[in-house]
Amino acid sequence: MRIGILGTGAIGAELARVFSAGGHEVAVANSRGPETIDADVLKFGAQAVTSADAVQKKDVVILSVPFFKVPDVAGLFASVPSETVVIDTTNYVPFRAWNVPVEGVGQGQAESVWVAEQLGRPVVKAWNAVLEATLKTRGVPAGTPGRIALPVAADSDEARDVAMRLVDETGFDPFDAGKLADSWRQQPATPVYCTELTVDELGPALQAADREKTPAIRDRQLEYLGTLASLPTRDEQVELNRSLHR
């Protein structure tokens, strides 16, 4: 497939490596220009391009920029064909956005519904509920016992199927998480967010999400993380995320 990736942060960079290593034609861009993209991101054949080129003539475009920067790239999608599958990996985390308020999302609108509105086109939500270290080190072949599952939400069955096939290629069981409006169930501080559940565990965890309580849980967690002298390890972060829902 021809895959464009906007963003070279933790998730975007790893997806560029995985998909180019897997034989896909990958183009990757960031806001600073192709010459600033680290060689490690390109080591399996991904091409560094401009943001405009990253979204043109692609089967899939993966959006992996900071959430509050989505409006800055929205104009790039004006000429992108409707059949191009756009996958949103972003999360609204006020602390990381320097407390920039986002109208609508702060009042309970599902994050990826807001993203779709900014872009003026449908999106799929995937890879938002996985830690960088998990994506890098915990992917295993399909059928491996205990394989971690990741939720995928979309309004189009065809687009969801494409995203689920790609999630599987990254080493995780894809799980149909329903419509985009329900993707709040996989947002930060929900029971499925970065808790490394199996496909059998993921469905009940999605249903256990509490829309009213989640923002307060998220904010308390961010306050706690802000008191730590160093970042938690992957295992520590997963345990913290799970403990929020016991």
Side-chain angles (χ1 to χ4, degrees), residues 28-63:
V28 61
N30 63 20
S31 62
R32 301 181 302 279
E35 69 281 357
T36 68
I37 295 176
D38 195 287
D40 184 64
V41 179
L42 312 175
K43 65 181 180 180
F44 297 118
Q47 298 296 308
V49 300
T50 65
S51 295
D53 286 339
V55 303
Q56 294 299 318
K57 298 180 180 179
K58 300 296 185 293
D59 302 304
V60 174
V61 174
I62 298 172
L63 184 63

Coordinates of all heavy atoms in Angstrom, one line a residue, residues 28-63:
V28 N 6.8 9.9 4.8 CA 6.6 10.5 6.2 C 7.1 12.0 6.2 O 8.0 12.4 5.5 CB 7.5 9.7 7.2 CG1 8.9 9.7 6.9 CG2 7.2 10.2 8.6
A29 N 6.3 12.8 6.9 CA 6.6 14.2 7.0 C 6.4 14.7 8.4 O 5.6 14.1 9.2 CB 5.6 14.9 6.0
N30 N 7.0 15.9 8.7 CA 6.8 16.6 9.9 C 6.6 18.0 9.6 O 6.7 18.5 8.5 CB 7.9 16.3 11.0 CG 9.2 16.8 10.5 OD1 9.3 17.6 9.6 ND2 10.3 16.3 11.1
S31 N 6.4 18.9 10.7 CA 6.2 20.3 10.5 C 7.4 21.1 10.2 O 7.4 22.2 9.8 CB 5.5 20.9 11.7 OG 6.3 20.7 12.9
R32 N 8.6 20.4 10.3 CA 9.9 21.2 10.2 C 10.6 20.9 8.9 O 11.6 21.6 8.6 CB 10.8 20.8 11.3 CG 10.3 21.0 12.7 CD 11.2 20.7 13.8 NE 11.6 19.2 13.8 CZ 10.8 18.3 14.2 NH1 9.7 18.5 14.8 NH2 11.2 17.0 14.1
G33 N 10.1 20.0 8.1 CA 10.7 19.8 6.8 C 11.4 18.4 6.7 O 11.9 17.9 7.7
P34 N 11.5 17.9 5.5 CA 12.0 16.5 5.3 C 13.4 16.3 5.7 O 13.9 15.3 6.2 CB 11.8 16.2 3.8 CG 11.6 17.5 3.2 CD 10.9 18.4 4.2
E35 N 14.2 17.4 5.7 CA 15.6 17.3 6.0 C 15.8 17.1 7.5 O 16.9 16.8 8.0 CB 16.4 18.6 5.5 CG 16.0 19.9 6.3 CD 14.7 20.5 5.8 OE1 14.1 20.0 4.8 OE2 14.3 21.5 6.4
T36 N 14.8 17.3 8.3 CA 14.9 17.2 9.8 C 14.5 15.8 10.3 O 14.6 15.6 11.5 CB 14.1 18.3 10.5 OG1 12.7 18.0 10.3 CG2 14.4 19.7 10.0
I37 N 14.0 15.0 9.4 CA 13.5 13.7 9.9 C 14.7 12.7 10.1 O 15.6 12.6 9.3 CB 12.6 13.1 8.8 CG1 11.3 13.9 8.7 CG2 12.2 11.6 9.2 CD1 10.4 13.5 7.7
D38 N 14.7 12.1 11.3 CA 15.8 11.3 11.7 C 16.0 10.1 10.8 O 15.1 9.5 10.4 CB 15.6 10.8 13.2 CG 16.8 10.2 13.8 OD1 17.2 9.1 13.4 OD2 17.3 10.9 14.7
A39 N 17.3 9.8 10.5 CA 17.6 8.7 9.6 C 17.0 7.4 10.2 O 16.7 6.5 9.4 CB 19.1 8.6 9.5
D40 N 16.9 7.2 11.5 CA 16.4 6.0 12.0 C 14.9 5.7 11.6 O 14.5 4.6 11.4 CB 16.4 6.0 13.5 CG 16.0 4.7 14.2 OD1 16.7 3.7 14.0 OD2 15.0 4.7 14.9
V41 N 14.2 6.8 11.3 CA 12.8 6.6 10.9 C 12.8 6.1 9.4 O 11.8 5.4 9.0 CB 12.1 8.0 10.9 CG1 10.6 7.9 10.4 CG2 12.1 8.5 12.4
L42 N 13.8 6.4 8.7 CA 13.9 6.0 7.3 C 14.7 4.8 7.0 O 14.8 4.4 5.8 CB 14.5 7.2 6.5 CG 13.9 8.6 6.8 CD1 14.7 9.7 6.1 CD2 12.4 8.7 6.5
K43 N 15.2 4.1 8.0 CA 16.1 3.0 7.8 C 15.6 1.8 7.0 O 16.4 1.1 6.5 CB 16.7 2.6 9.1 CG 15.8 1.9 10.1 CD 16.5 1.6 11.4 CE 15.5 0.9 12.4 NZ 16.3 0.6 13.6
F44 N 14.3 1.6 7.0 CA 13.7 0.5 6.2 C 13.1 0.9 4.9 O 12.4 0.1 4.3 CB 12.7 -0.2 7.1 CG 13.3 -0.8 8.3 CD1 12.9 -0.4 9.6 CD2 14.3 -1.8 8.3 CE1 13.4 -1.0 10.7 CE2 14.8 -2.4 9.4 CZ 14.4 -2.0 10.6
G45 N 13.4 2.2 4.5 CA 13.0 2.6 3.1 C 11.9 3.6 3.1 O 11.5 4.0 2.0
A46 N 11.4 4.1 4.2 CA 10.4 5.2 4.2 C 11.1 6.4 3.6 O 12.3 6.7 3.8 CB 9.9 5.5 5.6
Q47 N 10.3 7.3 2.9 CA 10.9 8.4 2.3 C 10.4 9.7 3.0 O 9.3 9.8 3.4 CB 10.4 8.5 0.8 CG 10.8 7.4 -0.1 CD 12.3 7.3 -0.2 OE1 12.9 8.3 -0.6 NE2 12.9 6.2 0.0
A48 N 11.4 10.6 3.3 CA 11.1 11.9 3.9 C 10.6 12.8 2.9 O 11.2 13.1 1.8 CB 12.3 12.4 4.6
V49 N 9.4 13.4 3.1 CA 8.8 14.3 2.1 C 8.2 15.5 2.8 O 8.2 15.6 4.0 CB 7.7 13.5 1.3 CG1 8.2 12.3 0.5 CG2 6.5 13.1 2.2
T50 N 7.6 16.4 2.0 CA 6.9 17.5 2.6 C 5.5 17.0 3.1 O 5.0 16.0 2.7 CB 6.7 18.7 1.6 OG1 5.8 18.2 0.5 CG2 8.0 19.1 1.0
S51 N 4.9 17.8 3.9 CA 3.6 17.5 4.4 C 2.6 17.4 3.3 O 1.7 16.5 3.3 CB 3.1 18.5 5.4 OG 3.9 18.5 6.6
A52 N 2.7 18.3 2.3 CA 1.8 18.2 1.2 C 1.9 16.9 0.4 O 0.9 16.3 -0.1 CB 2.0 19.5 0.3
D53 N 3.2 16.5 0.2 CA 3.4 15.3 -0.6 C 3.0 14.0 0.2 O 2.6 13.0 -0.4 CB 4.9 15.2 -1.0 CG 5.2 16.1 -2.1 OD1 4.3 16.6 -2.8 OD2 6.4 16.5 -2.2
A54 N 3.0 14.1 1.5 CA 2.7 12.9 2.3 C 1.2 12.5 2.2 O 0.9 11.3 2.5 CB 3.0 13.2 3.8
V55 N 0.4 13.4 1.8 CA -1.1 13.1 1.7 C -1.6 12.8 0.3 O -2.7 12.4 0.1 CB -1.9 14.2 2.4 CG1 -1.5 14.4 3.8 CG2 -1.9 15.5 1.6
Q56 N -0.7 13.1 -0.7 CA -1.1 12.9 -2.1 C -0.8 11.6 -2.6 O 0.2 11.0 -2.4 CB -0.4 14.0 -2.9 CG -0.8 15.4 -2.6 CD -2.3 15.7 -2.8 OE1 -2.9 15.2 -3.8 NE2 -2.9 16.4 -1.9
K57 N -1.8 11.0 -3.4 CA -1.7 9.7 -4.1 C -1.4 8.6 -3.1 O -0.5 7.8 -3.4 CB -0.6 9.8 -5.2 CG -1.0 10.8 -6.3 CD 0.1 10.9 -7.3 CE -0.2 11.9 -8.4 NZ 0.8 12.0 -9.5
K58 N -2.1 8.6 -2.0 CA -1.9 7.6 -1.0 C -3.2 6.8 -0.8 O -4.3 7.2 -1.0 CB -1.5 8.2 0.4 CG -0.3 9.1 0.3 CD 1.0 8.2 0.0 CE 2.2 9.0 0.1 NZ 2.4 10.0 -1.0
D59 N -3.0 5.5 -0.4 CA -4.1 4.7 -0.1 C -4.6 4.9 1.3 O -5.8 4.9 1.7 CB -3.7 3.2 -0.2 CG -3.3 2.8 -1.6 OD1 -4.1 3.1 -2.6 OD2 -2.2 2.3 -1.7
V60 N -3.6 5.2 2.2 CA -3.8 5.5 3.6 C -3.0 6.7 4.0 O -1.8 6.8 3.7 CB -3.5 4.3 4.5 CG1 -3.6 4.6 6.0 CG2 -4.3 3.1 4.1
V61 N -3.6 7.6 4.8 CA -2.8 8.7 5.5 C -3.0 8.5 7.0 O -4.2 8.4 7.5 CB -3.3 10.0 5.0 CG1 -2.6 11.1 5.8 CG2 -3.0 10.3 3.5
I62 N -1.9 8.4 7.7 CA -2.0 8.3 9.2 C -1.6 9.7 9.8 O -0.6 10.2 9.5 CB -1.0 7.2 9.6 CG1 -1.4 5.9 9.1 CG2 -1.0 7.2 11.2 CD1 -0.4 4.8 9.3
L63 N -2.6 10.2 10.6 CA -2.4 11.5 11.2 C -1.9 11.2 12.6 O -2.6 10.7 13.5 CB -3.8 12.2 11.3 CG -3.8 13.6 11.8 CD1 -3.0 14.5 11.0 CD2 -5.2 14.1 11.9

